[in-house]
Amino acid sequence: MIKIYITLLLFLFSTNVFAQVHKPIDTADYLKRKDFLKKFSTSNELLIKDLKAKYSGKTEKELSKIYKEFGEDFEKQVANKDFIFTSIFDEKAKNLIDNLRKNNPKIPKDLKILIAKDNTPNAFCLADGTFVINMGLFNWLDNDDQIAAIISHELGHNIERHSLKIFLDIIEQDQLDKITVQNIKSSAENKNKKAFDILKNRVYKKGAERRNNEMQADSLGYTIFKNSDFTKTEYVNALQKLKDFDTISPRKLKMETYKKYFNLPKQAFQEKWMKKEDFSLYNYNHYKEKLNKDSLSSHPEMTLRIQKLKQTFPELKVDLQSQKPTEDFLLTEKTARMEILPNFYHSEDYGLGIYASLQFLQDNEEEEHYRKWLGKCFAKIYEARKSYNLNRYLDRVEPKDQSESYRQFLSFMWNLSLEEIKNIAEYYNTKES
């Protein structure tokens, strides 16, 4: 479900039109990637060495294992070109962090900035000082100040070492749970209820701690933010934008859009492609959740976070509209927007790539650019269908978790035969299209 929101939300409101075909950002940066990987490996080893000096016993072993495995996984992502090292985003991110650092000495000086080929508006800071900023952040937010606000929040997490505290809590709780489980096994009464109570209490505790961490990072992040040259109210505006990303409903793909782009010279549009499975008689109440959803939320509702900030910092109680972006920001935003399809293609989200292309085309944006990506994604879908692994690249219909528009799209895609998919791919991969 998260991927569906990622696809739709990133292009709901923009009206930008580009004058020429966009050339995807070059990821042929082998030497820079190699240099980064060498430095990251060294810094992660030093981090693990430091943890071994501070902790002992099972805690030390588990922490070392966690950070070693995380480091190896992150290195694989870098080697897979999930990040870019030379782009319009690097200098902007560096300038924003430098601005934040002016009056905030707690911000580490050795932060290494990486831009991720990820369309979600997010950022995070690793324990070794690697700061990752998703490309989607530049596309979804309104201006530089809002980008700086999210960076400030993540710096708050880093300064408070929240990830380390979570790992320590998991290790400690795991040991306590093992003792409790042994006690349950030795008891003959109501084992199932006791086991579920352990799970419930553990999950509730995690949820409460993580919610507290988010609010703590909000507060510390805002303190960092207001000490710099940014407009204070943009901190709340940035959180409000993220709230919109979490909750806004995707726009619908119209029937006319399907007919326009799939009524081809050698393959006429067929109404049977749009047939949907009837889920009206399915009893969703058959599987009732036993745990309270609010208590299990890993992040507090953004509305509550905003309310807490306004209570703590009275100057934020005045709501002001987002500031107009600078020309420099607009250029960055345009680049991030045009990278949405290359990013989906890179992550092998070909079904989402097709859905995104149709959304852009329906809005009359960059016809040549998005027809090109429509063809590239259909070609990959054809290869997957031919090799019987389409499930890897195209979601199945899930009526409980998907919008009506997305379910219709998935029904359309699964209704296409192998030959029909091939014809669409060939048409959009030729100049005549």
Side-chain angles (χ1 to χ4, degrees), residues 73-85:
D73 183 67
F74 190 74
E75 288 176 14
K76 289 178 181 178
Q77 293 180 46
V78 175
N80 190 48
K81 301 182 181 180
D82 290 353
F83 307 94
I84 53 175
F85 291 84

Side-chain angles (χ1 to χ4, degrees), residues 32-81:
K32 290 187 177 181
R33 275 187 284 117
K34 182 180 179 181
D35 181 60
F36 173 83
L37 285 170
K38 183 178 179 181
K39 292 178 179 177
F40 176 79
S41 178
T42 300
S43 64
N44 202 51
E45 288 175 3
L46 290 174
L47 173 65
I48 294 173
K49 185 178 180 181
D50 182 57
L51 291 172
K52 287 182 176 180
K54 290 182 179 179
Y55 301 94
S56 60
K58 184 173 180 60
T59 299
E60 178 269 315
K61 290 180 180 179
E62 290 295 326
L63 279 178
S64 297
K65 179 182 178 182
I66 288 172
Y67 280 99
K68 183 176 183 296
E69 291 179 351
F70 179 84
E72 291 173 350
D73 183 67
F74 190 74
E75 288 176 14
K76 289 178 181 178
Q77 293 180 46
V78 175
N80 190 48
K81 301 182 181 180

Side-chain angles (χ1 to χ4, degrees), residues 118-207:
D118 191 319
N119 293 329
T120 54
N122 200 8
F124 58 92
C125 195
L126 306 184
D128 79 311
T130 300
F131 203 107
V132 177
I133 301 176
N134 287 359
M135 210 179 290
L137 204 64
F138 295 94
N139 180 62
W140 184 245
L141 299 185
D142 292 331
N143 51 52
D144 287 320
D145 289 34
Q146 291 182 11
I147 301 288
I150 303 306
I151 291 175
S152 298
H153 171 88
E154 296 305 326
L155 286 171
H157 279 304
N158 179 260
I159 292 170
E160 292 295 327
R161 307 197 76 180
H162 282 155
S163 61
L164 174 61
K165 292 176 182 177
I166 290 173
F167 290 147
L168 287 171
D169 178 68
I170 291 173
I171 293 169
E172 178 187 1
Q173 190 63 50
D174 184 58
Q175 295 180 53
L176 291 174
D177 286 350
K178 287 180 180 178
I179 295 172
T180 308
V181 168
Q182 290 300 321
N183 292 335
I184 290 175
K185 287 181 178 179
S186 64
S187 171
E189 297 182 9
N190 211 356
K191 292 184 180 181
N192 287 339
K193 182 180 183 304
K194 290 182 178 180
F196 179 75
D197 285 343
I198 291 177
L199 172 64
K200 180 178 68 176
N201 292 333
R202 179 172 182 175
V203 175
Y204 280 7
K205 181 181 178 182
K206 279 186 182 180

Side-chain angles (χ1 to χ4, degrees), residues 89-115 122-126 129-134 137-138 144-156 158-159 221 224-225 227-230:
F89 307 104
D90 297 273
E91 192 64 28
K92 178 169 286 296
K94 181 179 181 299
N95 290 339
L96 291 174
I97 293 177
D98 287 344
N99 194 332
L100 289 168
R101 190 183 283 116
K102 287 180 183 177
N103 300 314
N104 295 289
K106 287 187 176 181
I107 296 178
K109 294 182 179 180
D110 58 345
L111 291 176
K112 300 175 287 294
I113 301 170
L114 273 186
I115 305 298
N122 200 8
F124 58 92
C125 195
L126 306 184
T130 300
F131 203 107
V132 177
I133 301 176
N134 287 359
L137 204 64
F138 295 94
D144 287 320
D145 289 34
Q146 291 182 11
I147 301 288
I150 303 306
I151 291 175
S152 298
H153 171 88
E154 296 305 326
L155 286 171
N158 179 260
I159 292 170
I224 292 171
F225 186 77
N227 287 342
S228 305
D229 302 329
F230 301 105

